[in-house]
């Protein structure tokens, strides 16, 4: 079990983020279902529409609107406003917060409250690169890793070589300072996650979608747009090592609508989170139909649930997630007690890294003429259930994790 370590609070790295309970959201913004904008304008008066990018990827689905502060300069209480809108007769307009989401190498952080996002452990330098696992006889499934993107320098590593095929890789920013190669808090996170897929689904078509910042943070609009890019690129499996908590019983609006738009055969795999919680509203993992992934610790004499992993009857499957051996970036990571120097490989913990392993195993199990959804159902139904509250257990080869010193 990895020890707790003091790390920065990732939510504090973006001054726009606010908190209500365990839910984090962006100040001054609401999301409204496009068909409900007229009703929303009638209720609140004209609101300035904010577009995310020039071609407005959520047009026709959701509009992001600005809610200015009052004349006294005090920010509008958006959670209260959303609650009041939803409480109107006939249900009111479909409106929600612009939720914040974070990479899920997250766990309790010493000296801070349990945060839904952040680091489970610091990444640990190791001397060897992970090797490519043996090729499997499966069709070239298109797998999208929705994360921080991919560092192009990693493509020279053996794990990303043939017979792996590549789609479009959106770039991982990696560094806070490229001149000194100072790695961001979550720089390289998407590269590591993609490396798991590359290692265990050797015949897949791998693509990377960049939604998380170098700090490991994104907003709901950006995440929803990234999922749409994965969909439009033909992704059959979407792997997301990220998540966030929503309040009440109404899931994040934009994500619900976008995930509803995916083809029925698309498999979505998402990290269950890492705050030792049984919370049933950790999204997107807790959404019906999403394969939610908890973490198991296999570094001891026997496999046991990882102490940082979320749990509950909403968890689908668990897989090893402690000291996972991963391709990484080069540079210095200095967010912990002491600077760490990396040369392209890492041992790192979190449901972040159990998640792409499950995605990879589903891809590798998909035969010609078979959908990934059918392959996933067959694979998961055949697994044992030794850890109540953590889903069925998908074992990994011994070299998936790096030995403890």
């Amino acid at each position: 079990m990895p020890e707790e370590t003091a790390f920065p609070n990732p939510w504090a790295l973006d001054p726009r983020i606010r908190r209500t309970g365990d839910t984090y959201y962006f100040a001054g913004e609401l999301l409204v279902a496009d068909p409900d904008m007229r009703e929303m304008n009638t209720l609140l008066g004209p609101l300035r529409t904010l577009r995310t990018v020039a071609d407005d990827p959520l047009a026709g689905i959701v509009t992001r609107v600005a809610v200015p502060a009052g004349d006294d300069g005090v920010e509008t209480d958006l959670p209260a406003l959303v609650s009041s809108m939803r409480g109107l007769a006939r249900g009111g307009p479909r409106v929600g917060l612009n939720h914040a989401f974070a990479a899920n190498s997250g766990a309790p952080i010493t000296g801070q409250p349990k945060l839904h996002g952040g680091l489970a452990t610091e990444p640990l330098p190791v001397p060897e690169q992970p090797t490519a696992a043996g090729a499997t006889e499966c069709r070239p499934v298109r797998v999208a890793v929705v994360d921080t993107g991919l560092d192009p320098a990693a493509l020279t590593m053996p794990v990303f070589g043939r017979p792996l095929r590549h789609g479009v890789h959106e770039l991982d920013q990696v560094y806070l300072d490229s001149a000194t190669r100072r790695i961001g808090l979550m720089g390289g996170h998407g590269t590591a996650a993609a490396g798991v897929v590359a290692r265990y689904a050797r015949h897949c078509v791998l693509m990377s979608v960049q939604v998380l910042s170098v700090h490991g943070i994104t907003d709901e609009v950006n995440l929803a747009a990234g999922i749409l890019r994965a969909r439009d690129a033909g992704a059959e499996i979407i792997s997301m090592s990220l998540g966030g908590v929503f309040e009440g019983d109404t899931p994040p609006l934009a994500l619900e609508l976008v995930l509803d738009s995916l083809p029925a055969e698309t498999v979505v795999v998402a990290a269950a989170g890492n705050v030792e919680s049984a919370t049933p509203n950790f999204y997107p993992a807790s959404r019906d139909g999403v394969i939610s992934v908890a973490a198991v610790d296999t570094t001891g004499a026997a496999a046991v649930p990882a102490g940082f992993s979320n749990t509950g009857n909403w968890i689908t499957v668990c897989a090893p997630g402690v000291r996972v051996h991963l391709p990484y970036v080069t540079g210095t990571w200095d967010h912990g007690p002491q600077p760490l120097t990396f040369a392209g490989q890492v041992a790192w913990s979190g449901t972040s890294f159990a998640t792409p392993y499950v995605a990879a195993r589903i891809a590798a199990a998909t035969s010609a003429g078979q959908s990934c959804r059918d392959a996933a159902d067959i694979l998961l139904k055949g697994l044992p259930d030794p850890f109540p509250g953590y889903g069925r257990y998908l074992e990994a080869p011994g070299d998936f994790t790096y030995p403890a010193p």
Side-chain angles (χ1 to χ4, degrees):
M1 167 63 195
E3 295 180 358
E4 295 179 8
T5 311
F7 296 115
N9 174 356
W11 303 113
L13 298 175
D14 191 318
R16 300 170 296 167
I17 292 178
R18 304 292 183 266
R19 179 180 183 180
T20 176
D22 286 331
T23 298
Y24 294 84
Y25 64 95
F26 282 76
E29 298 178 0
L30 290 180
L31 305 183
V32 183
D34 270 18
D36 297 349
M37 273 300 295
R38 178 176 294 181
E39 181 181 6
M40 191 69 182
N41 277 313
T42 299
L43 291 167
L44 294 182
L47 297 174
R48 178 167 55 89
T49 299
L50 300 179
R51 299 303 183 185
T52 53
V53 296
D55 61 353
D56 190 11
L58 299 186
I61 303 173
V62 165
T63 297
R64 180 166 59 171
V65 298
V67 180
D71 293 339
D72 56 3
V74 176
E75 288 182 1
T76 302
D77 185 343
L78 294 184
L81 179 59
V82 168
S83 179
S84 67
M85 292 296 100
R86 291 174 177 170
L88 294 174
R90 299 179 295 103
R94 288 170 292 171
V95 59
L97 301 169
N98 186 11
H99 292 86
F101 297 84
N104 276 165
S105 327
I109 299 176
T110 301
Q112 300 173 352
K114 291 184 178 181
L115 302 169
H116 290 268
L119 295 171
T121 63
E122 60 189 354
L124 301 174
V126 293
E128 297 93 7
Q129 288 188 2
T131 58
T136 56
E137 294 299 326
C138 60
R139 67 176 178 83
V141 174
R142 300 184 69 84
V143 182
V145 176
V146 178
D147 208 288
T148 63
L150 187 100
D151 178 15
L155 293 176
T156 63
M157 298 178 185
V159 74
F160 288 107
R162 292 182 179 179
L164 187 73
R165 307 175 192 187
H166 293 275
V168 173
H169 291 298
E170 297 176 5
L171 300 185
D172 191 330
Q173 182 182 340
V174 180
Y175 303 107
L176 295 174
D177 185 342
S178 57
T180 61
R181 302 182 77 79
R182 182 181 175 227
I183 302 169
L185 182 67
M186 286 292 180
H189 187 269
T191 300
V196 175
V197 177
R199 190 177 181 190
Y200 292 99
R202 296 296 298 157
H203 283 270
C204 82
V205 179
L206 178 66
M207 57 186 112
S208 301
V209 179
Q210 188 272 319
V211 297
L212 295 173
S213 71
V214 73
H215 302 307
I217 299 293
T218 191
D219 72 337
E220 186 174 342
V221 170
N222 192 35
L223 176 54
I227 294 171
L228 287 180
R229 294 198 299 278
R231 180 200 68 182
D232 294 345
E236 299 169 82
I237 300 175
I238 298 175
S239 178
M240 292 187 279
S241 296
L242 51 82
V245 171
F246 64 91
E247 287 221 89
D249 55 6
T250 304
L253 175 65
L255 287 178
E256 279 284 279
L257 294 173
V258 165
L259 290 170
D260 283 345
S261 78
L262 297 178
E265 298 302 322
T266 304
V267 173
V268 178
V269 187
N274 311 293
V275 290
E276 304 178 57
S277 171
T279 178
N281 57 346
F282 189 79
Y283 201 91
S286 63
R287 174 183 157 96
D288 287 346
V290 170
I291 296 173
S292 51
V293 185
V296 170
D297 186 347
T298 57
T299 61
V304 295
F308 54 76
S309 180
N310 282 359
T311 183
N313 59 13
W314 54 279
I315 304 291
T316 310
V317 63
C318 57
V322 175
R323 293 184 62 87
V324 179
H325 192 190
L326 303 158
Y328 192 47
V329 297
T330 61
T332 301
W333 191 90
D334 61 359
H335 306 283
Q338 60 185 11
L340 301 169
T341 300
F342 289 90
Q345 52 272 343
V346 66
W348 212 349
S349 301
T351 56
S352 277
F353 309 117
T355 297
Y357 177 69
V358 172
R361 288 287 302 273
I362 293 169
T366 306
S367 60
Q370 184 184 43
S371 73
C372 292
R373 175 64 63 186
D374 288 342
D377 289 345
I378 293 170
L379 175 66
L380 296 176
K381 286 177 182 176
L383 298 177
D385 186 14
F387 309 118
Y390 292 85
R392 296 180 178 271
Y393 177 35
L394 182 61
E395 292 188 74
D399 63 355
F400 180 62
T401 59
Y402 199 83

